[in-house]
Amino acid sequence: MVEFIQGTCLLMCPDKERWIREKEGLLHKFEIDETTKETKLPKADPTKTIKCFSRPAAGLVMTDIKQLRPAPVLLLTIKYLFTKIATRTDVDWIIVYDFIFDRLRSIRQDAEIQRIDISTNIQLLKPIVRFLVYSTQRLCERSISEFNRKINGQHLDECITRLLILYEESEDKMNSSQFIKDMEKLIMNNDRSQMEALYILLHMGNTDVLMRALRLPLNLRRSLDMQLSIKISFAWYLKNYVRVCTLIPQLAPILICAAMTNIQKLRRMALKIMSSGYNSKVFTFPGLKLQQVLLYKEINKVCADCELFGIAFTNQNILFQKANFKDEIEQAHPEMYYTRQFLHSLLPYILLESM
């Protein structure tokens, strides 16, 4: 028989952890009491302190109900993170990201230990997936010492895969009238089709992902998000990268953020194909046209990628020569699709949508 645990901590951070971190000077700048911030050992503000992620270790009891937050508190904690922390402009956003990333891991950990019900787990994972997708775009130009794309991507893949499994499991529980009521609310918000579309765009051209999408219920596949995402993924599979770039701007902003996770690979493959198709010692290709076709925001980014791959770039014109292409380079330079200012303005719509 499965034992279910119900947490009893009604604060974002259990008292015990807050006292320990306060004593050891381990409070984050977002958690301290402002009236004590200039002191040697600042005090914690109970309304701002949020439980850290901690790995299971010898002597550490992970199932202590006093240290676990029930589902309503976890949802409120996510809302706090995305309204009070994510929107801050007084600090570098990488600091915001690091703080939220850790606290979201702790939320997922509490949910897993308590075996939170399917519908609530879905409500928890949706904004987390959106945050990880959004962060991939907002921080794509940062150095690896500041933002580890691989780790962020691993967590994103783990969360969205778990979320889609939960959606599938929900279909097997439709006999419960209360569950039907909860799921109707989810379907009305059209969240599942967006999450399915995100999954497709994160795995462009993957045949297994495409086949899974084509087996989904018709009401999901009819959504604009799904239709566009399937077209984009199929175009990638056919190596029609110009069509991929033509369709991406038609997506909703959060889906564009997901699609742009693949732009470095796309540009590399497109430039390699063009180095063969436009191979010449005389005739050049207009750089401004390439900028438009491959969604570059600035012509100097085109120049940087040409230099990276060994392609001649002179007077904003490109001389493609197959023999000079540096095949050992795996990706083009990262580039943000949106400006930082516009991305910041999208925060309330992307992170808090349907919460």
Side-chain angles (χ1 to χ4, degrees), residues 239-253:
K239 294 183 170 56
N240 189 345
Y241 302 120
V242 173
R243 178 163 171 76
V244 171
C245 291
T246 301
L247 293 173
I248 284 176
Q250 300 177 36
L251 294 165

Side-chain angles (χ1 to χ4, degrees), residues 113-300:
I113 292 171
Q114 296 174 86
R115 298 179 183 271
I116 284 175
D117 66 274
I118 292 175
S119 61
T120 305
N121 218 342
I122 288 173
Q123 293 286 64
L124 286 169
L125 283 171
K126 286 185 303 180
I128 293 175
V129 166
R130 290 192 184 107
F131 170 77
L132 294 172
V133 170
Y134 173 88
S135 299
T136 302
Q137 170 63 190
R138 181 154 183 175
L139 300 172
C140 70
E141 295 181 359
R142 305 299 281 258
S143 68
I144 192 168
S145 63
E146 294 178 299
F147 175 65
N148 193 314
R149 297 164 189 79
K150 186 175 181 180
I151 290 177
N152 188 82
Q154 288 171 347
H155 283 267
L156 172 56
D157 199 51
E158 181 182 319
C159 288
I160 197 166
T161 301
R162 175 63 177 150
L163 179 57
L164 298 188
I165 289 171
L166 288 170
Y167 277 126
E168 291 173 357
E169 288 179 357
S170 72
E171 294 174 357
D172 299 330
K173 294 184 177 290
M174 283 298 187
N175 293 329
S176 164
S177 59
Q178 180 58 45
F179 195 86
I180 291 173
K181 187 176 179 181
D182 290 340
M183 289 311 298
E184 282 176 348
K185 200 178 295 182
L186 295 176
I187 292 168
M188 282 176 61
N189 289 328
N190 202 30
D191 288 334
R192 182 175 177 183
S193 63
Q194 185 187 82
M195 292 299 134
E196 295 283 0
L198 280 172
Y199 187 64
I200 295 166
L201 294 168
L202 291 168
H203 300 87
M204 281 185 198
N206 185 303
T207 53
D208 291 335
V209 173
L210 267 173
M211 290 300 294
R212 179 189 178 279
L214 295 173
R215 289 194 297 266
L216 289 171
L218 188 60
N219 66 309
L220 286 173
R221 286 186 282 120
R222 278 178 174 166
S223 75
L224 180 59
D225 288 344
M226 284 291 289
Q227 288 180 15
L228 272 173
S229 299
I230 290 171
K231 287 178 182 177
I232 289 170
S233 186
F234 191 63
W236 179 292
Y237 174 74
L238 295 175
K239 294 183 170 56
N240 189 345
Y241 302 120
V242 173
R243 178 163 171 76
V244 171
C245 291
T246 301
L247 293 173
I248 284 176
Q250 300 177 36
L251 294 165
I254 186 63
L255 297 180
I256 288 179
C257 290
M260 293 301 288
T261 61
N262 296 294
I263 197 66
Q264 290 171 259
K265 292 180 182 178
L266 182 150
R267 287 172 177 168
R268 188 258 185 204
M269 291 186 288
L271 289 171
K272 183 178 180 180
I273 291 171
M274 294 177 79
S275 292
S276 295
Y278 291 93
N279 182 49
S280 173
K281 293 183 178 180
V282 179
F283 298 107
T284 59
F285 189 93
L288 291 175
K289 180 63 177 178
L290 186 69
Q291 178 185 350
Q292 176 190 357
V293 167
L294 296 184
L295 298 180
Y296 284 98
K297 291 300 173 185
E298 300 172 5
I299 191 65
N300 66 319

Side-chain angles (χ1 to χ4, degrees), residues 308-338:
L308 179 67
F309 291 109
I311 302 168
F313 185 93
T314 308
N315 297 325
Q316 296 193 354
N317 290 313
I318 302 164
L319 183 65
F320 287 110
Q321 292 184 314
K322 181 180 178 181
N324 294 338
F325 188 84
K326 295 180 180 178
D327 207 38
E328 68 277 9
I329 306 296
E330 296 183 357
Q331 293 191 128
H333 289 105
E335 185 188 18
M336 292 174 65
Y337 181 82
Y338 293 118

